[in-house]
Amino acid sequence: MLRVERSDIREIRTSEDVVAVRQAVRREAVAVGFNLVDQTKIVTASSELARNTLDYGGGGTVAIETVLNGVRCGVRLIFEDQGPGIANIELALKDGFSSGSGMGLGLGGAKRLSHEFEIESETGKGTRVSIVRWKG
Ligand SMILES: Nc1ncnc2c1ncn2[C@@H]1O[C@H](COP(=O)(O)OP(=O)(O)OP(=O)(O)O)[C@@H](O)[C@H]1O
Ligand SMILES: [Mg+2]
């Protein structure tokens, strides 16, 4: 059973918002008691996913949450957009695949930096990516 202790929803409409998301995720990770390495991992993942939300999703939102699962405490991030969606999720997750001019490392990188990773996307409807990193 996952309990949501705190949830802060933010808009991602501009590059400044992406920076603000990074800072808010850092604050949340510090508040939960993450060490510096774990802070950097979740902040880096948040940066990649926020960028994708802006660049490919046409903007959207992120919920920054403190979650509890029995003995463990962590940070969950849920990115949502109403953009074009991802036609082939498996391909999008492959390192080196980009439909734009990126390196194609963001999604796969965010997955590797997280303990839990879920992605739902529907063509023409939008995309939802949820990650959790537990406190080490
Ligand atoms: N929110 C989204 N909406 C629609 N398509 C997306 C979304 N997020 C990712 N994608 C698709 O998945 C592909 C891979 O994403 P990924 O973040 O791995 O690479 P990138 O953003 O292209 O490059 P990089 O992140 O390395 O700069 C993107 O090129 C894009 O086609
Ligand atoms: Mg990316």
Side-chain angles (χ1 to χ4, degrees):
M1 253 295 285
L2 193 88
R3 199 170 92 206
V4 180
E5 277 288 286
R6 192 164 54 227
S7 183
D8 173 24
I9 296 171
R10 290 171 169 266
E11 298 266 328
I12 302 170
R13 301 281 165 215
T14 65
S15 291
E16 289 71 39
D17 291 341
V18 175
V19 175
V21 166
R22 285 179 70 97
Q23 292 167 340
V25 170
R26 172 81 65 181
R27 278 196 300 274
E28 193 75 13
V30 169
V32 166
F34 278 26
N35 64 32
L36 194 54
V37 170
D38 285 333
Q39 286 171 36
T40 302
K41 285 181 176 174
I42 188 88
V43 168
T44 303
S46 78
S47 189
E48 293 297 335
L49 296 175
R51 255 286 140 208
N52 284 352
T53 298
L54 180 62
D55 291 349
Y56 302 107
T61 57
V62 59
I64 301 170
E65 302 182 331
T66 299
V67 290
L68 291 175
N69 177 10
V71 289
R72 289 184 302 179
C73 175
V75 175
R76 177 165 72 174
L77 306 175
I78 305 169
F79 293 84
E80 287 182 307
D81 67 64
Q82 275 77 52
I86 303 175
N88 187 336
I89 290 175
E90 203 187 326
L91 182 63
L93 277 164
K94 280 213 168 80
D95 284 347
F97 174 82
S98 174
S99 65
S101 56
M103 302 263 284
L105 296 174
L107 268 186
K111 184 174 182 180
R112 285 188 293 270
L113 291 168
S114 307
H115 293 123
E116 289 172 36
F117 181 94
E118 284 170 20
I119 180 163
E120 290 164 46
S121 191
E122 204 178 326
T123 311
K125 289 254 173 82
T127 300
R128 182 182 193 273
V129 183
S130 171
I131 65 171
V132 179
R133 187 159 183 97
W134 299 108
K135 186 177 160 182

